[in-house]
Amino acid sequence: MKNMKQLITLLFIFFFPSSLLADEGMWPLSEIHRLNLPSKGLQIPVDIIYNPKGVSLVDGICNIGGCTGSFVSPSGLILTNHHCAFSAIQEASTEQNNYLENGFLAKTGADEVPARGQTVRITESYRDVSSEVLSVVQPGMEPGARTKAIEKRIKEIVLDTEAKNPGKRAEVAEMFIGKSYVLFIYTYLKDVRLVYAPPRSIGEYGGETDNWNWPRHTGDFSFFRAYVAPDGSPAEYAAANVPYNPRRHLKVSPAGVGDGDLVFILGYPGRTFRHRTAGYLDYEYRVRMPATVEWYGWQIAQMEAAGKTDPAAALKLAPRIKNLSNTFKNYQGKLVGIRRTEMLAAKREEEKRLTGFIQADAGRKAKYGALLEDIGKVYTAIEAASARELLLLFLTRSPDAVHVAFTAYEAAQERQKPDVERESSYMERNWKQTSSRLLLSLRNFHRPVDQSILKELLVRAAKLPPGNRISALDSILKGGEPAAAANSFLNQAYSSTRIHDEKFVEDLLTRKPEELARMDDPFVRLAVALYPEVHAMKDAEKRREGDLNRLYSLYVDVKREFLGGEFIPDANSTLRLTHGHIKGYEPRDAVFMQPITTLSGVVEKHTGEEPFDAPEALIELQRKKDFGPFAPPKLKDVPVAILYDTDTTGGNSGSPVFNARGELVGVNFDRVWEATINDYGWSPAYSRSVAVDIRYVLWVALKLGKAEHLLREMGVKTN
Amino acid sequence: MKNMKQLITLLFIFFFPSSLLADEGMWPLSEIHRLNLPSKGLQIPVDIIYNPKGVSLVDGICNIGGCTGSFVSPSGLILTNHHCAFSAIQEASTEQNNYLENGFLAKTGADEVPARGQTVRITESYRDVSSEVLSVVQPGMEPGARTKAIEKRIKEIVLDTEAKNPGKRAEVAEMFIGKSYVLFIYTYLKDVRLVYAPPRSIGEYGGETDNWNWPRHTGDFSFFRAYVAPDGSPAEYAAANVPYNPRRHLKVSPAGVGDGDLVFILGYPGRTFRHRTAGYLDYEYRVRMPATVEWYGWQIAQMEAAGKTDPAAALKLAPRIKNLSNTFKNYQGKLVGIRRTEMLAAKREEEKRLTGFIQADAGRKAKYGALLEDIGKVYTAIEAASARELLLLFLTRSPDAVHVAFTAYEAAQERQKPDVERESSYMERNWKQTSSRLLLSLRNFHRPVDQSILKELLVRAAKLPPGNRISALDSILKGGEPAAAANSFLNQAYSSTRIHDEKFVEDLLTRKPEELARMDDPFVRLAVALYPEVHAMKDAEKRREGDLNRLYSLYVDVKREFLGGEFIPDANSTLRLTHGHIKGYEPRDAVFMQPITTLSGVVEKHTGEEPFDAPEALIELQRKKDFGPFAPPKLKDVPVAILYDTDTTGGNSGSPVFNARGELVGVNFDRVWEATINDYGWSPAYSRSVAVDIRYVLWVALKLGKAEHLLREMGVKTN
């Protein structure tokens, strides 16, 4: 197994045409030498960023709770987003010490508060396991069997690696579908402590209203510190632990950046879908996303209406509304972005040319002649099943009562199987998290809303055409008019169920399928009845995945031939670099967004009411123009957020934004609304990401947080 | 009496400090030579704009239904806003020919449709009547008597002038409160015909959503033609009438304007309140506007909720929602604008300096020493009475049932008096309009909403403190819990009343007060009971007005001394010029609005649903880039709306926007939200007005309207 310092180029790339050498791309580190960054303004050698033979900036970053974090001192100080630290801050809060509302500062190391459940992941090494994974694939294999075989093989590699590397955790990432797989080995630091968090009124300033928007005025940052055992090894929290000493820490630059400056970002972007066909995008654009937007919007409206008359309900429903809204707004942005950039037409045009290329050569025609049509057939099948399958999906997810009962029954079924054959969330290594999340969800159970959601789904199910029915529901619906039949079932079911009772659910999670099947709770019974149909749906999905796995592997081959160059894989939560410039944009006719916001803008948005309730102290400091050394002479104000045209997606939260000298100048936390299309393609006009400016981080920490010692620890002057 | 061509400078000005020579000001034409417009880029002599000794651009404009219109051909063709033409277009529409939805084009003169009720007002002459008006004022006069005496004197002058000038209409405008008055004589052309109107989906594109907003994409224009008798005299509609030949018509320039260009506007701005004290602004900011915003917002929410479940109700309530929203949004803009520009602090600072100036001289101190305090006392009195008086005002205006009954009873009372002593709307010359408007309002009567509005007001009235009660309501409310008491009264009242019956109301309007007092309709009885209290409130208002009339007359005197210069009067619907430049603005941190929108922007906003449902033909023309000669090479697109920093207010709708050569390049139709503060003061940062670009007018008329002959009539090339 090769060390981080000896990466193999071939792992990560396939083929990229020179046209892709614009600002587009979430680049595997092994490929960044192709970008010629010095010619674009980079003032340091590329091997300062990434050096397979030594320590580089890459060693200064980590994954913290699904986000990216930066080590900003030799003593394990980590800078990431406030929204990434949210649950840790909440968990650490007590009634007396509400750190979420009031913010938190540890004056000394002894005051740092354990962030229980928070872990820091450091990449130790990785290697290509494509042949090991694909060795289980036989030509002509039934597609569902192909999927299952690959999934099982990956799980075996993971379990085997973890057994051989005690204390480490292994993961296999699919780089190109059905083509290449990489095994990563990670170290997890488990003693993570909260060091500084601004109050929510800064860290979440703008809240849901400003989410996915620009201009932004959110101080979305917090500081943690990672600790290890005195011998340097990862350890659970212990008072005797010592600060972790990272291989490298990043230099924070209070000089910041200005309009037009080069920036680059290191981070762990989650998932993109750029190497898919027009048929895929068409299905997403025309079917899946609109259906999801409609259903989420319907649920949000229900929850908001319920919250209006009942403050207790509003409090309970707030986290669910927030989650739904995030996707709701994201998908709407994608739909608008795809329309505005005419992305679908561009994809179709590209495929037309690819088809011409295939047809032009007898050999290619023989091998790939039916390829695009075959992929198209899979999406046609997906679409044909979508009305029923989306409803089944919503049914097992949206109403808590069904979700809890169904998860319990599915868990009982899955946990009968050998570990490697289970669905990932039911494997031993994930079971604790799956079950505790399920129990946690009960706290926000709200019967009237839950019942209205399930009723709506039953009424919709009644409209499914014959041949596409959900038979488990037909027995509920058979009694005449669907709404009345649903009401009659639901009134009784919600009155008699114990599915919202924590003790009851804890017990369910210990039961065998046959025990559950004998219970008389109405939702457990519904789950048992639904299971064969959901199970059949998942099998169908696996068959379609198996088909696509095989077909997309061919697609990558022919695309390489066609482009006559190499291209980089879709994002898959592995480490990437993206570069670009500080740059405004025109979201719509006659509206130009400037790329830097200011402290005055924070005060300008202040209304005194959430989410625009800036602390009085901040307003006072702004009034007095008490900017410290953090207001550049040209701006005469503290920069708060910056905008740039790099290529990011979810998972880039917390990523360090570097200037041309490789210094940290911002903490990435969002994209603009139109840039939600990054998942499908990068647009020079609309792809803009958002960071909190390091000068605002430092100003808030110093002037409001009185965290002078942290600035000193980072080597930043305070006047 | 002097002719338009022989204006006396002194009529219009008092004193303006040189600091006011920025782009601020709605200038009386007699004063524009002071602006030194050629030094600012004007490429024509100022007397082309206004020439007391000859014909000038001023002769090319008219007032059309409260808006400004421009004569754009020698044959009486008038260009104004679509929103100014709205009711005329609606009135001309039939079920077969819905001109509002489909637009209208008269292919020939014979096809032009009478715009019944629409009149064109042309200013013939004016003269100073200050001494005639103020001759009735005696020193030490009781303030209420002072107000009534001035009002009566003005009505006498008007009636006398109209008697001496048959066919003309007279109006007296107050230039400075209690100080100067000007008598205008107008000709009214009554045969006005609709020539061209775009479909609503262009003329109202963006609707309420975009109202008061930028960027704008509304084709807010329409064409009329004025006709006169064959002898050139004003006449009612007759087939034998001939097109009116204006003294001057304006040249339309398809060359348009670009960013930074000088523009000026001629028009009839309605009302501004700049020469008032900080106490006045404080009352508006702190009391009257927030109370109005709250109450209008409450009503809008009720109406929208009612419309959601009942499409017929939605249709009925739409015009009321539109009216309420307009003020609602306008006042919110003013509140934000006053806060952001710190206008109140600036006013207070100015007054502090004025006070210092008064105190510094014994003579001034003797004359003006108590002035600001005395004005302040009036506003203190207004505020003390405001909770009760605003409620009385809302009560007689918001619920239709009360409004109709009250207006009928007040009319009966007023119409007992001699004509000149009546409130203006009940004078013979206005009675027809007042009564027909009242009857028209019955068409949109909606009982559930009306009842909920009145119930809310009753419940609020129950909370008034002792000493400030509305006694007419106390008898309704005396039966215990207010909401229950109100419900019991309202259920019976709305079930038994005939106040929503047109025949019933027509009969009411013919009755004497004592007849009405004997009727048993519950709302007529309520109106009779309310009348003494409303009457007493209006008397109190007249007393306060009398005080302010005297005090503001002194205020103008001392302000002139203080400023050592002259200043121009507040807008009062008389003809004014304002100048400025095509200019973007920054409404909030990091957001820059560019000053020209485009046809692409129209398509970009298109959703297919009102108010963003552009015609298919427009979308097709844009796709084909069929711009005709109306796309400047730099923009490569048709400009749609333009933004500039002139000083406008309500009444400037339809005003021509001129370029530096005095050519018409736009039709003014709105301000940006922040510029609603223009009523209190002009801000270089926020005061921006909006016009439809003449190139969009011409493009729409030619490419969508096929109105080539109109372009020829205006002397515009079509390719």
Side-chain angles (χ1 to χ4, degrees):
Chain A
M1 177 163 300
K2 291 184 183 64
N3 189 286
M4 256 303 248
K5 295 165 192 170
Q6 301 161 315
L7 290 175
I8 304 171
T9 295
L10 280 172
L11 282 187
F12 287 111
I13 60 151
F14 268 81
F15 354 87
F16 50 85
S18 54
S19 70
L20 276 185
L21 289 174
D23 285 352
E24 176 164 7
M26 305 177 189
W27 293 76
L29 275 293
S30 54
E31 304 315 307
I32 62 171
H33 60 279
R34 298 171 182 272
L35 285 168
N36 201 0
L37 288 172
S39 79
K40 293 175 180 169
L42 187 71
Q43 293 170 26
I44 50 173
V46 173
D47 66 3
I48 296 281
I49 300 174
Y50 169 68
N51 180 358
K53 294 184 187 117
V55 172
S56 58
L57 294 182
V58 163
D59 296 300
I61 73 163
C62 61
N63 179 310
I64 175 162
C67 293
T68 305
S70 303
F71 289 111
V72 288
S73 90
S75 306
L77 189 65
I78 296 168
L79 175 57
T80 188
N81 289 148
H82 183 271
H83 78 261
C84 301
F86 190 87
S87 58
I89 302 171
Q90 192 171 34
E91 200 65 24
S93 294
T94 61
E95 223 160 284
Q96 291 75 44
N97 296 305
N98 191 335
Y99 303 142
L100 210 51
E101 292 305 324
N102 309 322
F104 172 77
L105 172 70
K107 278 282 174 199
T108 69
D111 301 325
E112 292 171 7
V113 174
R116 300 201 193 278
Q118 192 70 284
T119 55
V120 165
R121 190 189 83 183
I122 296 157
T123 308
E124 291 295 339
S125 64
Y126 55 88
R127 68 176 173 89
D128 187 0
V129 290
S130 306
S131 58
E132 285 163 72
V133 170
L134 295 171
S135 67
V136 297
V137 174
Q138 309 298 329
M141 211 172 186
E142 190 277 322
R146 179 188 175 109
T147 303
K148 282 179 193 165
I150 289 176
E151 283 177 2
K152 191 178 164 205
R153 186 76 197 95
I154 285 175
K155 287 172 195 159
E156 285 165 355
I157 295 171
V158 163
L159 291 176
D160 182 55
T161 309
E162 290 182 356
K164 284 181 188 149
N165 295 272
K168 311 279 183 207
R169 209 174 149 101
E171 269 167 41
V172 170
E174 184 182 58
M175 304 309 286
F176 284 101
I177 300 176
K179 193 90 204 161
S180 61
Y181 299 83
V182 175
L183 167 67
F184 287 82
I185 300 185
Y186 299 116
T187 294
Y188 276 76
L189 306 183
K190 291 167 186 170
D191 184 356
V192 183
R193 304 184 194 174
L194 187 60
V195 176
Y196 174 72
R200 197 171 179 166
S201 55
I202 288 177
E204 284 199 320
Y205 194 70
E208 199 47 51
T209 312
D210 274 4
N211 191 21
W212 299 116
N213 274 357
W214 182 265
R216 237 11 208 288
H217 296 87
T218 315
D220 196 351
F221 74 94
S222 288
F223 288 95
F224 287 103
R225 195 186 305 280
Y227 281 78
V228 287
D231 68 357
S233 66
E236 297 287 343
Y237 171 79
N241 284 352
V242 296
Y244 171 71
N245 180 11
R247 286 192 287 259
R248 162 105 197 206
H249 72 271
L250 307 181
K251 186 182 174 221
V252 154
S253 168
V257 274
D259 195 357
D261 286 358
L262 174 88
V263 288
F264 65 94
I265 285 179
L266 293 172
Y268 298 95
R271 294 277 281 159
T272 57
F273 307 89
R274 297 184 188 173
H275 302 313
R276 305 277 171 109
T277 60
Y280 164 81
L281 189 62
D282 180 52
Y283 170 71
E284 288 285 299
Y285 179 69
R286 217 167 22 78
V287 183
R288 195 186 67 85
M289 287 201 290
T292 308
V293 163
E294 188 280 326
W295 176 237
Y296 282 23
W298 191 92
Q299 290 181 85
I300 292 167
Q302 290 290 310
M303 292 179 189
E304 282 179 346
K308 253 181 197 161
T309 50
D310 178 356
L315 214 63
K316 268 189 175 184
L317 296 167
R320 287 183 69 183
I321 291 177
K322 192 176 166 167
N323 273 336
L324 290 168
S325 298
N326 194 45
T327 302
F328 180 70
K329 222 164 159 180
N330 178 309
Y331 281 17
Q332 284 180 313
K334 285 188 167 104
L335 293 170
V336 166
I338 290 170
R339 180 159 55 82
R340 282 214 211 138
T341 57
E342 299 180 358
M343 193 181 270
L344 201 48
K347 275 255 177 205
R348 290 219 170 92
E349 184 52 37
E350 189 193 315
E351 264 170 35
K352 219 170 108 184
R353 290 198 311 269
L354 178 62
T355 305
F357 175 75
I358 292 170
Q359 298 296 328
D361 177 272
R364 282 200 295 268
K365 199 170 164 180
K367 202 167 172 193
Y368 307 115
L371 178 62
L372 285 166
E373 203 185 324
D374 287 348
I375 296 179
K377 276 180 197 155
V378 181
Y379 293 120
T380 304
I382 291 174
E383 181 168 347
S386 65
R388 179 175 180 278
E389 293 194 348
L390 285 171
L391 198 56
L392 264 178
L393 187 76
F394 295 155
L395 197 63
T396 54
R397 286 193 185 170
S398 302
D400 276 336
V402 184
H403 174 65
V404 172
F406 186 84
T407 307
Y409 187 68
E410 189 176 53
Q413 288 281 1
E414 287 289 305
R415 289 169 60 75
Q416 300 282 89
K417 302 180 187 168
D419 203 38
V420 288
E421 286 176 23
R422 296 178 193 169
E423 282 193 30
S424 169
S425 59
Y426 303 116
M427 288 174 76
E428 285 307 328
R429 60 201 285 279
N430 298 319
W431 175 238
K432 199 178 141 192
Q433 194 180 38
T434 302
S435 54
S436 65
R437 272 195 191 160
L438 194 72
L439 290 166
L440 211 62
S441 75
L442 295 175
R443 294 197 195 162
N444 294 329
F445 179 80
H446 184 265
R447 176 182 160 171
V449 162
D450 211 56
Q451 182 166 341
S452 73
I453 287 173
L454 181 49
K455 183 191 162 185
E456 177 68 16
L457 290 170
L458 290 173
V459 170
R460 291 181 183 200
K463 292 178 194 146
L464 288 173
N468 246 332
R469 308 278 303 172
I470 299 170
S471 52
L473 303 184
D474 280 344
S475 62
I476 294 172
L477 292 164
K478 66 171 178 256
E481 200 271 317
N487 275 339
S488 133
F489 165 76
L490 294 171
N491 287 335
Q492 216 194 336
Y494 277 94
S495 303
S496 61
T497 188
R498 289 183 60 207
I499 201 69
H500 44 77
D501 174 341
E502 204 169 316
K503 288 265 163 289
F504 179 71
V505 177
E506 271 176 4
D507 175 66
L508 289 186
L509 295 178
T510 65
R511 301 284 179 174
K512 295 208 166 358
E514 51 277 20
E515 292 176 304
L516 293 172
R518 281 194 301 270
M519 293 182 70
D520 66 353
D521 187 279
F523 288 102
V524 177
R525 291 166 68 102
L526 180 59
V528 173
L530 279 171
Y531 182 76
E533 292 181 87
V534 176
H535 194 67
M537 172 179 80
K538 288 190 175 177
D539 274 347
E541 273 171 14
K542 279 191 202 301
R543 281 194 300 276
R544 297 188 299 242
E545 269 173 45
D547 271 335
L548 290 176
N549 187 285
R550 181 179 58 81
L551 294 166
Y552 272 121
S553 157
L554 291 168
Y555 181 73
V556 162
D557 289 339
V558 70
K559 209 168 163 182
R560 171 171 52 174
E561 282 187 50
F562 171 53
L563 294 174
E566 320 207 14
F567 58 88
I568 52 177
D570 266 314
N572 60 353
S573 296
T574 60
L575 186 60
R576 306 290 177 104
L577 174 141
T578 164
H579 73 292
H581 295 84
I582 301 290
K583 201 171 180 179
Y585 83 120
E586 188 169 317
R588 47 191 195 285
D589 187 32
V591 179
F592 183 76
M593 295 297 182
Q594 285 156 341
I596 300 179
T597 64
T598 63
L599 185 58
S600 305
V602 176
V603 175
E604 185 182 270
K605 274 185 180 173
H606 174 78
T607 60
E609 274 170 46
E610 245 189 85
F612 298 107
D613 54 344
E616 262 314 309
L618 181 147
I619 294 170
E620 195 45 37
L621 287 164
Q622 190 267 343
R623 194 173 292 144
K624 291 191 299 187
K625 296 187 184 293
D626 186 355
F627 301 148
F630 306 117
K634 229 172 120 177
L635 202 63
K636 292 188 188 68
D637 204 341
V638 180
V640 170
I642 48 178
L643 192 71
Y644 37 86
D645 64 350
T646 62
D647 193 358
T648 69
T649 189
N652 270 122
S653 276
S655 283
V657 181
F658 295 94
N659 64 13
R661 292 178 302 283
E663 299 158 339
L664 192 155
V665 293
V667 188
N668 187 76
F669 70 93
D670 203 6
R671 279 170 286 162
V672 302
W673 193 55
E674 296 83 1
T676 50
I677 51 160
N678 281 4
D679 294 4
Y680 303 117
W682 179 86
S683 153
Y686 296 124
S687 288
R688 295 291 181 280
S689 300
V690 180
V692 53
D693 192 294
I694 192 66
R695 291 164 287 194
Y696 190 53
V697 172
L698 298 171
W699 182 83
V700 168
L702 178 66
K703 296 288 178 176
L704 285 153
K706 314 290 182 197
E708 202 174 337
H709 61 291
L710 288 183
L711 274 71
R712 271 199 309 271
E713 184 178 339
M714 292 184 277
V716 174
K717 283 187 190 151
T718 56
N719 50 44
Chain B
M1 179 167 293
K2 289 180 185 68
N3 191 284
M4 257 304 249
K5 294 164 191 167
Q6 302 159 311
L7 291 174
I8 305 171
T9 295
L10 280 173
L11 281 187
F12 287 111
I13 58 149
F14 269 82
F15 355 86
F16 50 85
S18 54
S19 71
L20 277 184
L21 289 173
D23 285 353
E24 175 164 8
M26 305 177 188
W27 292 77
L29 275 292
S30 54
E31 305 314 307
I32 63 171
H33 60 280
R34 296 170 184 272
L35 285 169
N36 200 1
L37 288 172
S39 78
K40 294 173 181 170
L42 187 72
Q43 293 169 27
I44 50 172
V46 173
D47 65 2
I48 297 280
I49 300 174
Y50 169 67
N51 179 358
K53 296 187 187 112
V55 172
S56 59
L57 294 181
V58 162
D59 296 300
I61 73 163
C62 61
N63 179 311
I64 177 162
C67 292
T68 306
S70 302
F71 289 111
V72 287
S73 90
S75 305
L77 190 65
I78 296 168
L79 176 57
T80 188
N81 289 147
H82 184 271
H83 79 262
C84 300
F86 190 87
S87 59
I89 303 170
Q90 191 172 33
E91 200 65 21
S93 294
T94 61
E95 223 160 283
Q96 291 75 42
N97 295 305
N98 191 336
Y99 302 142
L100 210 51
E101 292 305 324
N102 309 323
F104 172 78
L105 172 70
K107 278 282 176 200
T108 68
D111 301 325
E112 293 172 4
V113 173
R116 300 202 194 277
Q118 192 70 283
T119 55
V120 165
R121 191 190 80 183
I122 295 156
T123 308
E124 291 295 337
S125 65
Y126 55 87
R127 70 177 171 88
D128 186 1
V129 289
S130 305
S131 59
E132 285 164 70
V133 170
L134 295 172
S135 67
V136 296
V137 173
Q138 307 300 329
M141 214 171 183
E142 191 276 325
R146 180 188 174 110
T147 303
K148 282 180 192 165
I150 289 176
E151 283 178 4
K152 191 179 164 202
R153 186 73 196 98
I154 286 175
K155 287 172 194 160
E156 286 165 356
I157 295 171
V158 164
L159 291 177
D160 182 56
T161 308
E162 289 182 355
K164 285 180 187 149
N165 295 272
K168 311 282 184 206
R169 210 173 148 101
E171 269 168 41
V172 171
E174 184 182 58
M175 304 307 287
F176 284 101
I177 301 176
K179 192 87 204 161
S180 62
Y181 298 84
V182 174
L183 167 67
F184 286 82
I185 299 185
Y186 298 116
T187 294
Y188 276 76
L189 306 183
K190 292 167 187 169
D191 185 356
V192 183
R193 304 183 195 175
L194 187 60
V195 176
Y196 174 71
R200 198 171 178 167
S201 55
I202 288 177
E204 284 199 318
Y205 194 68
E208 199 47 51
T209 312
D210 274 4
N211 190 20
W212 299 116
N213 274 358
W214 182 264
R216 238 8 210 287
H217 297 85
T218 316
D220 195 352
F221 74 92
S222 288
F223 287 95
F224 286 103
R225 194 184 305 281
Y227 281 77
V228 287
D231 68 359
S233 66
E236 297 287 343
Y237 171 79
N241 284 352
V242 297
Y244 170 70
N245 181 12
R247 285 191 289 257
R248 164 104 197 207
H249 72 271
L250 307 181
K251 186 180 177 225
V252 154
S253 168
V257 273
D259 196 355
D261 286 358
L262 174 87
V263 290
F264 66 94
I265 285 179
L266 292 172
Y268 298 96
R271 295 277 281 158
T272 56
F273 306 88
R274 298 183 188 173
H275 302 313
R276 305 276 173 111
T277 61
Y280 164 80
L281 189 63
D282 180 52
Y283 171 71
E284 288 284 299
Y285 179 69
R286 216 169 22 79
V287 183
R288 195 185 69 85
M289 287 199 291
T292 308
V293 163
E294 188 280 328
W295 175 238
Y296 282 24
W298 190 92
Q299 291 180 85
I300 292 166
Q302 291 289 310
M303 292 179 189
E304 283 179 345
K308 252 182 195 161
T309 51
D310 178 357
L315 215 64
K316 268 189 175 183
L317 296 168
R320 287 183 68 181
I321 290 176
K322 190 174 168 172
N323 273 336
L324 290 169
S325 297
N326 194 46
T327 302
F328 180 69
K329 222 164 161 181
N330 177 309
Y331 281 16
Q332 284 180 314
K334 284 188 168 103
L335 291 171
V336 165
I338 290 171
R339 180 160 56 84
R340 281 214 212 138
T341 58
E342 301 182 355
M343 193 181 272
L344 201 48
K347 274 255 176 204
R348 288 219 172 91
E349 184 53 36
E350 189 193 317
E351 264 171 37
K352 220 169 107 183
R353 290 198 309 271
L354 178 61
T355 305
F357 175 74
I358 292 171
Q359 297 297 327
D361 176 274
R364 282 199 296 267
K365 199 171 164 182
K367 202 167 172 190
Y368 307 115
L371 178 62
L372 286 166
E373 203 185 322
D374 287 348
I375 297 179
K377 277 180 197 157
V378 180
Y379 292 120
T380 306
I382 291 174
E383 181 168 349
S386 64
R388 180 173 180 277
E389 293 194 347
L390 286 171
L391 198 58
L392 264 179
L393 187 77
F394 295 156
L395 197 66
T396 54
R397 286 194 185 168
S398 302
D400 276 336
V402 184
H403 175 65
V404 171
F406 187 85
T407 307
Y409 187 68
E410 188 175 54
Q413 287 282 0
E414 287 289 306
R415 288 171 60 74
Q416 300 282 89
K417 300 180 189 171
D419 203 38
V420 287
E421 286 176 24
R422 296 177 194 170
E423 280 193 30
S424 169
S425 60
Y426 302 117
M427 287 174 77
E428 284 309 326
R429 61 201 286 277
N430 297 320
W431 175 237
K432 198 178 144 192
Q433 194 180 37
T434 303
S435 54
S436 65
R437 275 196 191 159
L438 194 72
L439 290 166
L440 211 64
S441 74
L442 295 175
R443 293 196 195 163
N444 293 329
F445 179 80
H446 184 265
R447 175 180 160 169
V449 163
D450 211 56
Q451 182 165 342
S452 74
I453 287 173
L454 181 50
K455 184 191 160 183
E456 178 68 17
L457 290 171
L458 290 174
V459 170
R460 291 180 182 203
K463 290 178 195 147
L464 288 173
N468 246 333
R469 309 277 305 172
I470 298 169
S471 51
L473 303 183
D474 279 344
S475 61
I476 295 172
L477 293 163
K478 66 172 178 254
E481 202 271 315
N487 275 339
S488 135
F489 165 76
L490 294 170
N491 287 336
Q492 215 195 336
Y494 277 94
S495 304
S496 60
T497 188
R498 290 183 59 207
I499 202 69
H500 44 76
D501 175 340
E502 203 168 316
K503 288 266 164 287
F504 179 71
V505 177
E506 270 175 4
D507 175 65
L508 288 187
L509 295 178
T510 65
R511 300 286 178 172
K512 293 208 168 0
E514 52 276 20
E515 292 176 303
L516 295 172
R518 281 194 301 269
M519 294 183 71
D520 66 353
D521 187 279
F523 287 102
V524 177
R525 290 166 69 101
L526 180 59
V528 173
L530 279 170
Y531 182 75
E533 291 181 88
V534 176
H535 194 66
M537 173 180 79
K538 289 192 175 175
D539 274 347
E541 273 171 13
K542 279 193 202 298
R543 278 193 301 277
R544 295 189 300 241
E545 269 174 45
D547 271 334
L548 289 175
N549 187 283
R550 182 179 58 81
L551 294 166
Y552 272 121
S553 157
L554 289 168
Y555 181 73
V556 162
D557 288 338
V558 69
K559 208 168 166 184
R560 170 170 53 173
E561 281 187 51
F562 171 53
L563 295 173
E566 320 208 13
F567 58 86
I568 52 177
D570 267 315
N572 60 352
S573 295
T574 60
L575 186 60
R576 305 291 177 104
L577 175 143
T578 164
H579 72 291
H581 295 83
I582 300 291
K583 201 171 182 178
Y585 84 119
E586 189 169 316
R588 48 191 196 282
D589 187 32
V591 180
F592 183 76
M593 296 296 181
Q594 284 157 340
I596 300 179
T597 64
T598 64
L599 185 59
S600 306
V602 176
V603 175
E604 185 183 88
K605 275 187 180 173
H606 174 79
T607 61
E609 274 172 46
E610 247 188 82
F612 298 107
D613 54 342
E616 262 313 311
L618 180 147
I619 293 169
E620 196 44 39
L621 287 164
Q622 191 267 344
R623 193 174 292 143
K624 292 191 299 189
K625 296 187 186 289
D626 186 354
F627 301 147
F630 305 117
K634 229 172 120 176
L635 203 62
K636 291 189 188 67
D637 204 341
V638 180
V640 170
I642 46 176
L643 193 69
Y644 35 86
D645 65 349
T646 61
D647 193 357
T648 69
T649 189
N652 271 121
S653 275
S655 284
V657 180
F658 295 94
N659 66 11
R661 292 179 300 283
E663 298 158 341
L664 191 154
V665 293
V667 188
N668 187 75
F669 71 94
D670 203 4
R671 279 169 285 163
V672 301
W673 194 54
E674 295 82 1
T676 50
I677 51 158
N678 281 5
D679 294 3
Y680 304 117
W682 179 86
S683 153
Y686 297 124
S687 288
R688 295 290 182 281
S689 300
V690 180
V692 52
D693 192 295
I694 192 66
R695 291 163 288 194
Y696 191 54
V697 171
L698 297 171
W699 182 84
V700 168
L702 178 67
K703 295 288 176 177
L704 285 153
K706 315 289 183 199
E708 202 173 338
H709 60 292
L710 288 185
L711 273 71
R712 270 201 309 273
E713 183 180 340
M714 291 185 277
V716 174
K717 283 187 190 152
T718 55
N719 51 42

